[in-house]
Amino acid sequence: MSSQNKDEGGWAKSVWDSERKEFLGRTGTSWFKIIGFYIIFYSFLAGIFVGTIQALLLTLSAYKPTWQDRVSPPGLSHSPRSEKSELSFNLNDVETYLKYAKAMRDFLEPYHEEKQKDQLKYEDCGGSPEEYKNRGDLESDIGTRRACRFERSILGPCSGISDREFGYKEGKPCVIVKLNRIVNFRPKPPTSNESIPEEAQYKVQPNVIPLFCTHKREEDAGKVGEIKYFGIGSGFPTQYYPYYGKALHPQYLQPLVALQFVNLTFNEELRIECKVYGDNIDYSEKDRYQGRFDIKFMVTNL
C-alpha cells in the first residue's frame, strides 16, 4: 500500500513540484521566457510571410496576368460538344438529337436580345466587320467597359428562334463556333494568302478573322456537301476585341459563327475540320483545339 502511494506521489510531483515551485519541470520564470520567445519567433515568421505576400500582390494587376509569354493563341471551340467530338443522331428518333438542341439553347441563353437592352452595359458595334473597338487601357480609370451586342438573329436559321431543333430534325444540323477568350488579345486578320488554302482564300476580308471548314479525310470529299456560314462577315469581327476580363468586361459576349451542313451524306461517318486564320493564330499538334477543331458527323435515317 505504501509502495502505491509512493508511485502516485512521484507522478504528481513530476507535474507539480511544490518544493521547487515547478510545473512540468519548469519554474514560472522559465515558462514566461520560453512562451515569450515562441510568441516573438512565430510573430516574426508570420510577419515575413505576410510581408512577402503583400510585396507579391504589389507586382500583380487586378485585371490581367503579369506574364502572358506562355499563353497560346486562342482555342476554337463549338457547341454542341460531345464525347470524342462526335455528333451522331437518327432522323427518325427525336431522343437522339434533343440533347444537342438543348445544349445549343443553353449556350445561346446569354445572347437573348432582351438581356442586351441596358444601354449602360451594352452598345451597338455595327452589323459588318470593323476595326478594333478602343475602350481604353486595362489599367485606366475608366472602369467597367460596355460590351458589344451580339443578337441571336445574326445566326439565321441556326439562332434557335424559328427552329428550336437547329436543323437536326431535317438532317441539316447546325454547329455554333467561338474563339475562346484571352484577356487583352487582339486577333490579327491575315495580311496575305500564303498560309491559307486556296479554297479558303475567298473568305479573307478586312477586319475579320475568317473561319473555314472542309472535309478532314480525302475519302469524305464530295460527301460533306454545302456548308453555310452565319455571322458578322462569316467570321470573327475585330470590333469585339480585345476582351478586358471578368472584372472590367462582365457582360462581354463573344462573336459567334454558325455553321449549317445542309446536305450531308447520310449513313456514313464524316470527319470535318474547321480552322480560323490570322497572323497571330497558330496550330499545335499537342492541342487539337488551338485555332482549329475537327468533328465527326454520323446522320442516319434508317
Side-chain angles (χ1 to χ4, degrees), residues 126-191:
S128 59
E130 298 179 10
E131 295 182 353
Y132 301 108
K133 195 78 172 179
N134 184 14
R135 298 178 177 87
D137 297 329
L138 284 173
E139 304 293 343
S140 67
D141 297 328
I142 297 176
T144 302
R145 319 302 160 90
R146 291 196 296 171
C148 286
R149 291 187 176 90
F150 192 96
E151 299 175 353
R152 289 195 307 161
S153 57
I154 296 173
L155 303 179
C158 296
S159 64
I161 298 174
S162 58
D163 180 8
R164 288 180 59 83
E165 280 75 40
F166 297 90
Y168 284 82
K169 184 177 180 180
E170 288 78 29
K172 300 178 180 180
C174 291
V175 172
I176 298 176
V177 185
K178 67 173 182 176
L179 269 178
N180 293 342
R181 303 176 183 183
I182 296 180
V183 176
N184 210 32
F185 178 74
R186 288 174 168 82
K188 297 180 181 178
T191 52

Side-chain angles (χ1 to χ4, degrees), residues 91-215:
L91 297 179
N92 300 318
D93 186 353
V94 176
E95 295 296 327
T96 60
Y97 58 78
L98 278 184
K99 58 184 177 181
Y100 301 138
K102 182 182 184 304
M104 296 180 74
R105 287 195 295 269
D106 293 343
F107 177 80
L108 290 172
E109 186 65 25
Y111 291 84
H112 282 280
E113 294 181 10
E114 59 269 20
K115 294 187 176 183
Q116 304 177 47
K117 291 182 178 180
D118 193 333
Q119 298 291 337
L120 297 177
K121 297 179 179 179
Y122 298 94
E123 62 179 322
D124 290 321
C125 295
S128 59
E130 298 179 10
E131 295 182 353
Y132 301 108
K133 195 78 172 179
N134 184 14
R135 298 178 177 87
D137 297 329
L138 284 173
E139 304 293 343
S140 67
D141 297 328
I142 297 176
T144 302
R145 319 302 160 90
R146 291 196 296 171
C148 286
R149 291 187 176 90
F150 192 96
E151 299 175 353
R152 289 195 307 161
S153 57
I154 296 173
L155 303 179
C158 296
S159 64
I161 298 174
S162 58
D163 180 8
R164 288 180 59 83
E165 280 75 40
F166 297 90
Y168 284 82
K169 184 177 180 180
E170 288 78 29
K172 300 178 180 180
C174 291
V175 172
I176 298 176
V177 185
K178 67 173 182 176
L179 269 178
N180 293 342
R181 303 176 183 183
I182 296 180
V183 176
N184 210 32
F185 178 74
R186 288 174 168 82
K188 297 180 181 178
T191 52
S192 69
N193 291 334
E194 294 180 3
S195 60
I196 303 177
E198 184 176 352
E199 62 271 20
Q201 292 179 4
Y202 76 96
K203 297 184 70 67
V204 175
Q205 58 179 305
N207 303 321
V208 67
I209 307 300
L211 171 71
F212 182 74
C213 303
T214 187
H215 57 274

Side-chain angles (χ1 to χ4, degrees), residues 44-59:
F44 178 72
L45 291 182
I48 293 178
F49 177 76
V50 172
T52 303
I53 295 298
Q54 290 297 325
L56 177 62
L57 291 177
L58 291 175
T59 68

Side-chain angles (χ1 to χ4, degrees), residues 86-90 267-270 296-300:
E86 181 175 350
L87 301 180
S88 177
F89 62 97
N90 190 323
N267 306 313
E268 290 192 38
E269 182 182 276
L270 306 174
K296 290 186 287 186
F297 268 110
M298 181 66 178
V299 184
T300 57

